[in-house]
Amino acid sequence: GQGVDEPLSATGFRQADAAGLFLSDVKFTHVFSSDLLRAKQTAATILGKNKFCKDLEIKCDARLRERKYGVAEGRPLTDLKAMAKAAGEQCPSFTPSGGETLDEVRERARDFFEFLCRLAVELEKKEQDMHGAASRSSGTSEEQLVFPWTNHCSEAELSSGNGGSSKVLDANILVVSHGAYMRNWIGYFVSDLNCTLPTNLTKSQLSSVSPNTGVSHFVIKLENGNLLKPEITCVCLNQDSHL
């Protein structure tokens, strides 16, 4: 939850190191992290392993915090399940006293995602104003599209997302957050924004919580800067081959 702001354990740091090595060839333009310590340490460890982005500023945002669990925070998961059972409900839809509902978590995710979309559109406008649209195709930095999980998805998924290997991304954003929060964010993508999913993804995989440092990759297209209709393709979900 939010109330217990513990640092990463030794295992957590090893997992973050592994994620950093896995993502070391990806050139990020922005890094955002939950403002909780475990997420900030994960983000810093990932950047520390990166070949291109060691000095990139990590911007912390409270909208990326884990779901608030109220009276259940700091207690074992079994206690939360017992509370839910006593209330005649089931996890994760059960909301402990003082906690956040799933709708409230999803609203935070929606607000942050719309912020990211506005950021990307503003970047594209600045680029066009400074250099003109013609220069977008020149000076392609090949490492910007070196994603380590290309063999986990079909060529069609990648080509539809990247729009061709020579395309330089307007924004390539690393977001470090938490399991329950991200499950709600992904649910928002799928149910509200009709996200295209990998063909081999099962319903249980879609509803499961990511393992620690699991990597999910989404390609977002904003046609003509249209913030109302983002086209979202999930390249991989909760990828943990690096662990």
Side-chain angles (χ1 to χ4, degrees):
Q2 300 181 6
V4 181
D5 196 14
E6 289 290 313
L8 288 177
S9 65
T11 299
F13 275 112
R14 285 196 297 271
Q15 292 170 330
D17 279 338
L21 288 171
F22 182 64
L23 298 170
S24 61
D25 287 326
V26 183
K27 190 171 185 179
F28 296 107
T29 58
H30 301 77
V31 179
F32 291 94
S33 170
S34 156
D35 60 349
L36 296 177
L37 181 58
R38 56 193 183 273
K40 290 192 290 186
Q41 289 177 326
T42 300
T45 303
I46 290 172
L47 278 195
K49 300 287 185 183
N50 196 278
K51 294 177 183 177
F52 312 104
C53 311
K54 282 184 171 65
D55 298 324
L56 200 59
E57 179 188 1
I58 300 172
K59 297 183 178 178
C60 297
D61 198 303
R63 288 173 293 185
L64 292 171
R65 286 181 182 180
E66 180 60 289
R67 182 184 179 189
K68 186 178 180 182
Y69 283 96
V71 296
E73 292 195 348
R75 295 165 67 173
L77 180 60
T78 50
D79 285 8
L80 178 63
K81 290 180 176 177
M83 290 180 194
K85 187 176 181 180
E89 297 182 44
Q90 288 185 322
C91 296
S93 56
F94 170 67
T95 303
S97 176
E100 277 183 299
T101 66
L102 294 182
D103 285 344
E104 287 171 334
V105 178
R106 185 170 293 199
E107 181 61 24
R108 278 201 284 128
R110 182 195 62 79
D111 189 56
F112 184 77
F113 175 64
E114 290 179 354
F115 156 75
L116 290 186
C117 289
R118 290 194 298 271
L119 173 70
V121 169
E122 287 166 9
L123 283 171
E124 185 175 26
K125 286 179 180 175
K126 281 182 183 177
E127 183 74 20
Q128 289 176 345
D129 289 345
M130 288 174 65
H131 305 295
S135 70
R136 297 286 303 145
S137 59
S138 63
T140 300
S141 183
E142 192 175 310
E143 69 269 9
Q144 284 187 277
L145 291 176
V146 178
F147 295 116
W149 46 80
T150 52
N151 57 349
H152 294 285
C153 58
S154 69
E155 288 183 18
E157 283 165 348
L158 277 177
S159 61
S160 68
N162 291 339
S165 59
S166 64
K167 170 68 172 158
V168 178
L169 301 177
D170 295 311
N172 193 16
I173 303 170
L174 173 66
V175 177
V176 181
S177 185
H178 308 268
Y181 176 88
M182 290 188 292
R183 177 169 59 184
N184 278 269
W185 188 345
I186 292 162
Y188 161 65
F189 274 1
V190 173
S191 63
D192 292 27
L193 299 179
N194 299 314
C195 174
T196 301
L197 297 170
T199 52
N200 60 349
L201 194 70
T202 65
K203 283 188 176 180
S204 61
Q205 287 174 310
L206 185 61
S207 60
S208 64
V209 172
S210 173
N212 287 343
T213 69
V215 175
S216 295
H217 177 202
F218 295 90
V219 177
I220 318 294
K221 278 185 179 179
L222 297 164
E223 201 68 41
N224 299 319
N226 187 349
L227 294 168
L228 298 177
K229 288 187 177 181
E231 182 184 317
I232 305 175
T233 302
C234 176
V235 178
C236 67
L237 189 71
N238 301 335
Q239 176 63 239
D240 64 351
S241 60
H242 54 284
L243 295 177

